[in-house]
Amino acid sequence: GNSVTQMEGPVTLSEEAFLTINCTYTATGYPSLFWYVQYPGEGLQLLLKATKADDKGSNKGFEATYRKETTSFHLEKGSVQVSDSAVYFCALGGSSGGSYIPTFGRGTSLIVHP
Amino acid sequence: EAQVTQNPRYLITVTGKKLTVTCSQNMNHEYMSWYRQDPGLGLRQIYYSMNVEVTDKGDVPEGYKVSRKEKRNFPLILESPSPNQTSLYFCASSPQGQGNQPQHFGDGTRLSIL
């Protein structure tokens, strides 16, 4: 079946540092890939997505490129802020027998210090 | 405002006392889903519904029931709650449950079963 593997956290950075959160996946076919962000006390919200190989999703300074050859979708940001402190989930949107079967990674906590 | 609304947000109850967590969306989405989030395990899908009167099991359906009598509502029912169902629960929806569509999440319901 499908699976998503994210780097374990927490990731602790100083403000303005460069961020990378690794995400790799296994799936049949070519699913869409997503990054969601969860701020404390809130639900998940879509951060960015990519629907086919070599697509780059971007939002709020975050970027991720759909790499079919390495089955990866790593999240990057050039300069993090304290307000970026949250839990980040990598996910893929698979399907099976006509049903939508999303798969989430375990989440990576990011802590940014001033 | 487009949103997914869950109630209650917090609940402490005792083993065996039936409870229902409501979920409602105002976006006319066909697909709805329930997840539980546990430390170190990420999000795991409990049940999902591709449309009205169509529901199916996710990865961890044991001890839960759902119904989808109308498009906007998708309640989660715990007939006889047990302590291992203490968790943070999220309801989510998407337009047609297709793999390239992101999900919209509620703010979560934190259940404590004593």
Side-chain angles (χ1 to χ4, degrees):
Chain A
N2 297 342
S3 68
V4 174
T5 303
Q6 290 180 235
M7 60 189 291
E8 295 214 8
V11 174
T12 304
L13 295 172
S14 297
E15 205 164 27
E16 299 184 3
F18 185 86
L19 168 71
T20 300
I21 299 178
N22 290 337
C23 171
T24 57
Y25 67 91
T26 58
T28 54
Y30 303 104
S32 293
L33 300 173
F34 306 88
W35 277 101
Y36 290 86
V37 59
Q38 182 182 29
Y39 298 105
E42 298 183 11
L44 281 71
Q45 52 187 275
L46 178 69
L47 180 59
L48 53 84
K49 75 171 193 178
T51 57
K52 61 183 187 295
D54 299 325
D55 263 3
K56 178 186 282 188
S58 62
N59 186 25
K60 299 181 181 179
F62 291 90
E63 294 182 339
T65 301
Y66 190 162
R67 302 285 188 200
K68 187 177 69 172
E69 63 277 10
T70 55
T71 61
S72 64
F73 193 53
H74 304 320
L75 182 68
E76 297 181 336
K77 187 174 185 182
S79 177
V80 293
Q81 306 299 311
V82 172
S83 57
D84 293 327
S85 298
V87 181
Y88 293 81
F89 290 90
C90 184
L92 65 84
S95 62
S96 175
S99 292
Y100 174 41
I101 310 292
T103 304
F104 288 83
R106 294 188 177 187
T108 302
S109 175
L110 170 65
I111 302 169
V112 181
H113 294 294
Chain B
E1 180 189 352
Q3 58 187 4
V4 177
T5 303
Q6 298 178 224
N7 281 295
R9 291 292 313 277
Y10 305 91
L11 179 63
I12 301 174
T13 188
V14 296
T15 299
K17 185 177 181 181
K18 180 179 178 180
L19 68 91
T20 299
V21 184
T22 63
C23 174
S24 180
Q25 50 92 6
N26 63 0
M27 296 168 280
N28 201 37
H29 285 174
E30 293 183 356
Y31 179 91
M32 297 186 75
S33 180
W34 276 103
Y35 298 88
R36 59 179 289 173
Q37 182 179 16
D38 300 290
L41 298 177
L43 265 72
R44 293 180 293 168
Q45 191 177 51
I46 303 170
Y47 269 94
Y48 65 95
S49 169
M50 294 295 289
N51 213 327
V52 176
E53 301 292 0
V54 180
T55 63
D56 213 339
K57 297 177 180 177
D59 297 321
V60 289
E62 294 77 21
Y64 303 95
K65 285 176 57 177
V66 292
S67 68
R68 187 90 184 275
K69 293 184 171 60
E70 49 192 344
K71 185 179 275 191
R72 65 183 295 122
N73 296 323
F74 191 45
L76 179 70
I77 303 157
L78 284 71
E79 294 269 4
S80 182
S82 62
N84 65 9
Q85 293 177 298
T86 292
S87 187
L88 179 58
Y89 291 84
F90 289 100
C91 181
S93 71
S94 71
Q96 285 90 30
Q98 295 174 356
N100 62 351
Q101 295 171 342
Q103 294 184 75
H104 300 252
F105 285 82
D107 284 337
T109 295
R110 187 168 291 280
L111 286 184
S112 294
I113 316 294
L114 304 177

